[in-house]
Amino acid sequence: MENTSWSWETHFDIDSLVLLKILVVLIIFIWIRETLRWRRRKRQDPGGAISQANARERHQWRYVRWVFILIKTAFGLYMLGSLIQFLLR
């Protein structure tokens, strides 16, 4: 009778760890690229009454937005640090 028990080690060994690290590098690259692309798209402003109203509203909510940007940046740096630690392990 064959042994049909599934073992974690048979499918995930050192080679899959290397593949996982390659996947993490690709995710970091895509994340940085999309962040830069988002900032580039954000800068385009057509002008006019609607853009002036949007600017007034952004100015009114600037402190709330700063808090969210700070939280997002802190979390992003934490995740980036964790991923780099995983890559160097």
Side-chain angles (χ1 to χ4, degrees):
M1 187 174 235
E2 284 186 39
N3 185 2
T4 58
S5 65
W6 185 82
S7 172
W8 182 268
E9 289 82 18
T10 58
H11 295 288
F12 298 99
D13 56 357
I14 190 69
D15 293 332
S16 63
L17 186 61
V18 171
L19 291 175
L20 189 59
K21 288 184 179 187
I22 291 171
L23 180 66
V24 167
V25 168
L26 287 174
I27 288 172
I28 290 172
F29 175 74
I30 291 169
W31 181 22
I32 291 171
R33 194 181 105 221
E34 288 299 315
T35 301
L36 294 176
R37 216 173 123 217
W38 176 77
R39 287 186 180 170
R40 206 175 317 134
R41 277 186 281 144
K42 184 180 171 186
R43 287 185 184 158
Q44 298 171 354
D45 197 10
I50 294 175
S51 66
Q52 290 175 356
N54 287 341
R56 281 192 305 272
E57 187 175 347
R58 278 194 307 271
H59 182 72
Q60 291 171 351
W61 287 92
R62 67 186 179 274
Y63 298 116
V64 176
R65 287 183 28 225
W66 288 351
V67 170
F68 284 116
I69 290 171
L70 182 66
I71 291 171
K72 186 174 90 170
T73 303
F75 180 72
L77 290 175
Y78 171 76
M79 290 299 295
L80 187 63
S82 297
L83 292 173
I84 289 172
Q85 282 180 352
F86 171 74
L87 290 174
L88 295 177
R89 223 184 313 154

